[in-house]
Structure formats: C-alpha cells, structure tokens
Amino acid sequence: MKTLTGLLAATAITAAGTLAVSAAGHAEKWDMPMAYSASNFHSENGVKFADCVRAGTDGAIDITVHASGSLFKGADIKRAIQTGQVPIGERLLSGHQNENAIFGFDSVPFLATSFDESAKLFAAARPTLESILADQNLTLLYSVPWPPQGLYFKKEVNSVADMEGIKFRSYNNATARLAELTGMAPVSIEAAEISQAFATGVAESMISSGATGYDRKVWESLTHFYEVDAWLPYNHVMVNSDVWSGVSEDNKAAILACADTAAADGLEASKAYTQFTLDGLRAGGMTVGPASDQLVSDLKEIGVIMTNEWLEAAGEQGKAIVDAFHN
Ligand code: PCA
C-alpha cells in the first residue's frame, strides 16, 4: 500500500528529475531507493557507490541512497525506475518472475549453492538478463549476491513433514512455491517488516541469509537457523535507460567503473558477512547448524520439482543459461 508521504515524495522526485535533466551542466540529483536496512552490506555498498560516482563525475551526478524501503518498498522499486519516478535503484529481480521466468535464474534450488557457483551462474545469465531489462527501459549497472539461503524456524525441524502448516514469510516467487510444496502457508513480507511480522506471529519461519536474520534481530522471535545453502539470490542496481542515454560518455565511463568496484566490493562483503552474521545469530541465542540428512533429502526432492518448473517456464533461454553454467 502506498502511503501519503510516499506518494508526495514520489511526485517531488519526478519533478526534481525533470529539472535535473533540463538543467544540463548542473549537478543532477539522483534518488536511489534500496529495500534493505541501512546497516546491511548491500546498502552500505550502495552508499560507497554513490560516493564513487560523485567523485568520478566531479559532482555532476549526486546520488542519494534511501535504504529500508523508505522511498519505495522493494516490490515497487523496479517499476519506479522503469517509469522514471526515480532514475536509479536496487531490486531483487527474482521477485519479478511473474514478468519473466529468467528473473528467477538465481533462485532455482540447489543449482548454484556457493559463491563461486553463483558467480558462474550470474555470468551465464547476465547477457540474457541485460537484454530483457533493456526491453523494459532498464540498464543493469551492478549485481551482488546475498549469502547462501537457509531456513529459520521457532522450533526444531528435521524433515519437511515437520514444516506442515507453518506460516512462512516469502520474498519472491521461488520462496512462495517452496512454502506450497512443503505444506507451509506463504505470506509475502518485505525484509524491512519481518521483525514485526515474527513478533506478532504473522509469520513463523522463512528462508533467507544469515545476513537478513542478523539485520532484523530475528533471535527475538525465532530459535533455529538451518544452513541449507539452497541458492544465492542477487540484488541488482539498475538505471532508467532514458536517463542513462542522457549521461555524457565521460560520466558513463566513470559510473561503469564505480559499478565494477561495487560488484567486487559487494561480493567480498557478502562473503565476509556470511560467517559474521551466523556467529551473530548464535550470539543472539539461536541454534545454528546444518540441516539434518532427512531435511536435506526432502528439500532436494522439492528442488527437483522446482528446477523442472523453472526450466519449463524459462524455455530455451533458461536452458541455455543452465547449459552455459554447467560448461
Ligand atoms: N535477504 C533478502 C533476500 C535474500 C536474503 O538473504 C530477504 O530476506 O528479503
């Protein structure tokens, strides 16, 4: 639901964006919505990217990061960039699989389960992803993976049978489907709102990284984290293609150099944050460890179903990505 302040802010930004474009030669102010908490590594990396762009363009492009979904909620960020309500923003594209199955390349269970494999998978998917985004008036600047995804509960869970009926917070199509196939009840909730959802019992479990559980202090409501390493989903920073074509060649080169740095720094931060946040969950009182053999084998069976469903939906392009990944 859009709030009044959200609507007012969006209107003000559209006006500011128009002004900035018409006043060529002056500093352009770019508002950059991001969905996750300011202390999360993606958001911190976004602020560093903005600093790099400001320096690299001699102040001509001045990006302000708005973390925690404060300007637009995660689910609305992609559309806001496409339609020019904001020039730039960050979004988890696997949340838009209903537009194009390729957007879910990174959430196919057990296809790529480590940072190295996920980098290979992303490299295989990138050209296809960029051409789909180009048709949507979006230019991809950089992408950063979340740490491996594991399962959170408020009780011990050793098999899929133990998951029956649990209220499960989903963040994209794959997580909602996982809930259905495991007999849980999916409820879509943005990361910014999960602490409250767990505290009030609207949700009782989720699949996510240690990072998100740590950022949202979920040990206040949940007790167990099982390392499943199901997949590593990506956040993508994208710019509106009309805005991008108005950027000078020099400034484009500066921004692309900053994007490369942000991709590399973001990956390193994601790796470093993995162990740090699992330790943090433990320090918060949670039981953190590998899933039982039974749970792993149950989940792998569901993974096969979801892989087949994704391949079917993603067609030739999806198959080409998986083939390139395996080669
Ligand atoms: N955190 C995000 C997406 C994946 C992750 O690790 C979330 O839970 O919304």
Side-chain angles (χ1 to χ4, degrees), residues 36 92 146 149 169 171 191 208-209 212 233:
Y36 301 94
L92 180 99
W146 286 93
Q149 305 291 289
R169 174 259 171 174
Y171 65 75
S208 192
S209 55
T212 289

Side-chain angles (χ1 to χ4, degrees), residues 23 36 38 44 60 62 89 137 161 169 172 185 200 220 222 241 261 269 288 299 301 317:
Y36 301 94
E44 288 179 348
D62 185 9
N137 204 32
R169 174 259 171 174
N172 66 7
T200 56
E220 289 173 357
L222 307 182
S241 297
T261 305
V288 176
L299 291 171
E301 275 177 37
Q317 283 183 318

Side-chain angles (χ1 to χ4, degrees), residues 37-253:
S37 59
S39 62
N40 177 265
F41 69 94
H42 287 287
S43 308
E44 288 179 348
N45 196 40
V47 170
K48 272 169 59 188
F49 169 73
D51 292 343
C52 176
V53 168
R54 204 174 300 108
T57 63
D58 288 328
I61 295 175
D62 185 9
I63 298 176
T64 304
V65 167
H66 302 269
S68 294
S70 59
L71 195 53
F72 287 96
K73 288 192 193 305
D76 300 324
I77 290 176
K78 178 170 176 284
R79 175 137 298 275
I81 312 166
Q82 271 178 266
T83 56
Q85 287 178 282
V86 288
I88 190 169
E90 180 190 65
R91 174 62 177 151
L92 180 99
L93 278 178
S94 59
H96 299 281
Q97 258 199 76
N98 48 343
E99 289 176 33
N100 192 316
I102 296 296
F103 289 149
F105 78 92
D106 58 4
S107 303
V108 179
F110 307 112
L111 177 60
T113 60
S114 66
F115 280 102
D116 286 351
E117 286 176 0
S118 105
K120 236 181 118 187
L121 179 61
F122 175 64
R126 184 168 189 154
T128 310
L129 198 59
E130 286 190 313
S131 84
I132 293 166
L133 291 172
D135 287 343
Q136 298 189 339
N137 204 32
L138 293 167
T139 301
L140 183 64
L141 290 180
Y142 71 84
S143 307
V144 174
W146 286 93
Q149 305 291 289
L151 284 165
Y152 288 87
F153 295 105
K154 55 199 289 186
K155 65 170 191 181
E156 190 180 319
V157 167
N158 291 313
S159 65
V160 162
D162 290 347
M163 291 154 76
E164 181 74 38
I166 290 178
K167 286 180 263 177
F168 182 83
R169 174 259 171 174
S170 65
Y171 65 75
N172 66 7
N173 306 70
T175 54
R177 185 68 183 132
L178 179 74
E180 286 170 4
L181 289 168
T182 51
M184 296 189 289
V187 40
S188 168
I189 300 166
E190 298 265 343
E193 273 136 34
I194 60 178
S195 311
Q196 207 189 347
F198 290 135
T200 56
V202 168
E204 309 162 299
S205 68
M206 67 172 173
I207 187 163
S208 192
S209 55
T212 289
Y214 176 83
D215 290 340
R216 308 316 301 157
K217 298 189 172 52
V218 299
W219 55 82
E220 289 173 357
S221 307
L222 307 182
T223 53
H224 289 73
F225 178 79
Y226 295 103
E227 294 166 62
V228 175
D229 298 349
W231 61 79
L232 291 80
Y234 277 77
N235 279 3
H236 306 269
V237 170
M238 299 164 284
V239 63
N240 175 289
S241 297
D242 298 327
V243 171
W244 184 243
S245 59
V247 173
S248 74
E249 291 309 314
D250 282 355
N251 286 342
K252 273 186 189 158

